[in-house]
Amino acid sequence: MPNDFINIIEREIIDQLRDTFDTAHVFGQFPEAVDVSYPAIIVQLVASGVDEQFMGSQVTFGASDTQTTGEIYGMVLNLHLIVDKESVISVENDPDTEGYKQRRLLNYLMLNVGNSITDLTFPSTVEILERHMQAWSEIGYVPELELWGASAVYMVSFKNWRA
């Protein structure tokens, strides 16, 4: 049976975010307008492909007793955070507030979503080589919709063996 590394990695990231932020709504793609709930964390796969193609088809990946066909493969995800004016997340370590709201909530999510996926341990069936998260950007507020938002790019490289 073929490997399904892209779906395994994407599902691990989504599940980790759902477990860590159980009062947020985590989506694996942009939801329909009628289905969106806030605060929203959207994980959007935007690219995947070969990072490095090896010469020949007898790749060992460092183990002399294992030869296979493969390459280093990569995937790129856009992470989007959207918070409306009604969104609230209570934070255990901050008893002085009734929960984080609006821009303060967005700041909290930016830091902790980044921490959550950076600390993520993937299943042993997937060999992650590198992962990089670029800085949050496009941080802003849309007054007509009363929404705060931010986006970041997350890249994962892994070993893709095929035989």
Side-chain angles (χ1 to χ4, degrees), residues 5-60:
F5 298 129
I6 292 173
N7 283 323
I8 291 169
I9 292 168
E10 183 181 46
R11 178 55 44 202
E12 283 297 317
I13 291 168
I14 291 168
D15 288 347
Q16 172 74 15
L17 293 171
R18 285 183 175 151
D19 289 345
T20 305
F21 304 99
D22 58 354
T23 57
H25 305 276
V26 180
F27 300 94
Q29 61 187 14
F30 273 97
E32 296 292 329
V34 295
D35 297 329
V36 70
S37 299
Y38 302 103
I41 302 170
I42 301 165
V43 178
Q44 177 189 26
L45 179 64
V46 295
S48 69
V50 175
D51 249 359
E52 184 174 334
Q53 181 69 51
F54 296 111
M55 297 296 287
S57 61
Q58 297 300 308
V59 178
T60 65

Side-chain angles (χ1 to χ4, degrees), residues 94-130:
D94 194 356
D96 296 334
T97 68
E98 296 177 15
Y100 289 169
K101 301 176 187 175
Q102 302 171 0
R103 182 56 188 262
R104 189 172 187 195
L105 174 55
L106 183 64
N107 292 342
Y108 171 81
L109 287 173
M110 285 188 294
L111 177 63
N112 290 290
V113 164
N115 289 346
S116 179
I117 62 174
T118 299
D119 294 341
L120 176 61
T121 302
F122 289 95
S124 61
T125 56
V126 180
E127 292 185 62
I128 303 296
L129 298 175
E130 290 185 53

